[in-house]
Amino acid sequence: MRVLVIGSGAREHALVLALRRDPSVTAVVAAPGNPGIGQLAELRQVDQTSAEAVVALATDVAADLVVIGPEVPLVLGVADAVRAAGFPVFGPSGAAARIEGSKAFAKDVMAAAGVRTAHSEIVDNPADLDAALDRFGPTWVVKDDGLAAGKGVVVTDDRRAARDHGAELLEQGHPVLLESFLDGPEVSLFCLVDGETVVPLLPAQDHKRVGDGDSGPNTGGMGAYAPLPWLPAETLTEIVEDVVKPVAAELVARGSSFSGLLYAGLAIGVAGPAVVEFNCRFGDPETQAVLALLDSPFAELLHATATGRLAEVEAPRWKDGSAITVVLAAENYPGRPRVGDVISGAGEGAVDGDTLVLHAGTGQREDGALVSAGGRVLNVVGVGADLAQARERAYERLSRIKLPGSHFRTDIGATEVTIPQG
Ligand code: GLY
């Protein structure tokens, strides 16, 4: 099988690595990819947001499967065009991708499916902002009603900070979504979805704030671990049966059947799981930890999903143990990151014993040096018999990587997690 992977981050690096482990995969082409992915796949340039360009590339490389990593091309309907051109595509249609692209659409689908989520209001006029803020709090959740790579979300107990963020979004012409705050630890559950067939992967937890102890602003994600020792098996079943399956069925009923990866982000509160958000693609950085534990042929699972045969294939098998991923970020991230700094100690191949070094925002200078080229620069994944060993391995590997001005969280997978009890 020849697989074309669209995207350029550490998530796509993890996808490519898992695809290369599947013996049915004869070649992987990644576009645009990054220098780390380039060690495993042929790299091609493409405008990811251009349906025509992606179709032309799939034709040129004679792809047997096209995997679209990021949300932006999916929301723009790139998968529709590639599918219409006759290629099996792992990724939902533009209509189904609205589950991530429009928070208002997602809320409507969840209400119809009877899924618990935060109470919310959309504000699109600055004159309505203050009165709307008064109906929320004491913790305000202020979101951009569109795609913002996690950075459009402010969660704060400071009404002025909530107001400033809402006003800034409105000034940029973005409608603002205000939500009630959902208490309890967060879970990311990725499910392969093909119409009404739902196959969960391992549950994971992301760490979205930039600093240790969940301090500082939100980021695209600073680290993650899987599976979740504190999550009861029955809660996982409840998420699949009472959250993901009803939403998948509701999308089918609306004529927007989902095909690809449906990502449920939930908070596990006193009353059980409640949805924080749905995304229409693999999450970053959770995927890097989840796929490190996959013990099944990955291309087969994606191809079966893309061709409407997910119900026919064996459920994914998982290695025992745990995996964590720690993000190495550039100076000043999540603000405007400093780029162009030389990275040393990242190694040549992604796999190094029980650790992986995945590239996110990296580039290659003319003299061949590996340099930082984005906010999140590298992901170091550790796999171990348990979470403690996975952490130890990841942080030891990370200590051998040097990037001036860089920072990372030291507490990924280390915080005591408890589900609030009523
Ligand atoms: N882990 C956050 C995201 O992928 O949106």
Side-chain angles (χ1 to χ4, degrees):
M1 196 184 317
R2 293 177 58 78
V3 189
L4 171 61
V5 177
I6 302 296
S8 63
R11 167 185 52 203
E12 284 74 23
H13 197 169
L15 294 174
V16 168
L17 199 58
L19 287 165
R20 294 301 315 224
R21 286 200 296 260
D22 183 332
S24 73
V25 173
T26 52
V28 181
V29 178
N34 63 38
I37 297 174
Q39 294 167 4
L40 301 164
E42 180 192 345
L43 299 186
R44 298 284 291 264
Q45 281 310 310
V46 77
D47 174 359
Q48 301 176 49
T49 62
S50 161
E52 273 171 31
V54 177
V55 169
L57 181 58
T59 308
D60 194 42
V61 305
D64 300 304
L65 173 67
V66 179
V67 180
I68 301 180
E71 61 276 19
V72 173
L74 293 167
V75 170
L76 291 174
V78 169
D80 305 65
V82 180
R83 208 170 272 125
F87 297 96
V89 184
F90 185 83
S93 65
R98 282 180 299 163
I99 196 81
E100 174 166 3
S102 165
K103 296 195 170 60
F105 174 78
K107 292 281 177 195
D108 197 47
V109 169
M110 282 188 267
V115 167
R116 275 191 351 108
T117 183
H119 164 69
S120 69
E121 282 184 39
I122 292 194
V123 180
D124 50 17
N125 183 342
D128 299 335
L129 183 60
D130 277 309
L133 284 166
D134 288 343
R135 292 190 285 276
F136 289 84
T139 301
W140 286 268
V141 181
V142 185
K143 295 184 176 177
D144 184 338
D145 182 39
L147 297 177
K151 287 178 277 179
V153 183
V154 163
V155 181
T156 179
D157 296 338
D158 177 350
R159 190 183 187 286
R160 179 181 295 195
R163 193 189 186 287
D164 287 351
H165 185 57
E168 192 184 321
L169 291 171
L170 288 166
E171 223 165 79
Q172 294 162 2
H174 298 204
V176 170
L177 189 85
L178 298 180
E179 282 186 347
S180 56
F181 178 66
L182 292 174
D183 203 9
E186 289 198 7
V187 171
S188 299
L189 186 67
F190 302 162
C191 296
L192 299 170
V193 173
D194 157 20
E196 295 202 31
T197 305
V198 172
V199 175
L201 307 185
L202 289 182
Q205 189 179 53
D206 189 5
H207 295 252
K208 293 203 175 79
R209 302 272 188 161
V210 71
D212 281 359
D214 288 332
S215 58
N218 260 25
T219 68
M222 292 298 290
Y225 64 100
L228 306 178
W230 50 268
L231 186 70
E234 57 271 24
T235 308
L236 193 54
T237 304
E238 192 183 338
I239 296 169
V240 175
E241 296 300 324
D242 300 344
V243 176
V244 185
K245 285 188 178 174
V247 163
E250 177 62 23
L251 289 170
V252 171
R254 290 177 181 224
S256 305
S257 178
F258 195 97
S259 168
L261 194 289
L262 188 57
Y263 162 157
L266 309 111
I268 313 298
V270 176
V275 173
V276 177
E277 63 180 1
F278 272 105
N279 293 317
C280 67
R281 37 79 198 175
F282 280 99
D284 189 347
E286 300 96 309
T287 299
Q288 291 84 304
V290 170
L291 292 185
L293 296 172
L294 181 69
D295 204 17
S296 295
F298 188 47
E300 183 186 313
L301 286 166
L302 301 192
H303 192 267
T305 308
T307 53
R309 297 179 299 105
L310 181 59
E312 296 164 28
V313 295
E314 196 191 326
R317 293 181 308 275
W318 301 99
K319 293 175 194 152
D320 290 336
S322 296
I324 84 159
T325 181
V326 184
V327 171
L328 182 70
E331 182 169 333
N332 204 36
Y333 177 78
R336 192 181 178 149
R338 196 173 84 188
V339 296
D341 286 307
V342 173
I343 304 161
S344 61
E348 277 304 306
V351 186
D352 182 6
D354 295 304
T355 60
L356 310 172
V357 178
L358 302 172
H359 290 219
T362 64
Q364 202 135 29
R365 223 168 46 183
E366 267 177 22
D367 63 1
L370 186 67
V371 293
S372 57
R376 292 188 291 174
V377 181
L378 293 171
N379 281 209
V380 180
V381 180
V383 178
D386 54 24
L387 195 50
Q389 190 178 47
R391 274 177 49 73
E392 196 181 298
R393 287 176 172 163
Y395 281 108
E396 189 285 323
R397 181 68 189 86
L398 183 54
S399 72
R400 290 187 274 129
I401 299 175
K402 304 289 173 231
L403 170 65
S406 62
H407 58 100
F408 58 88
R409 278 183 65 158
T410 65
D411 62 350
I412 305 301
T415 39
E416 194 68 28
V417 180
T418 44
I419 299 175
Q421 303 298 321

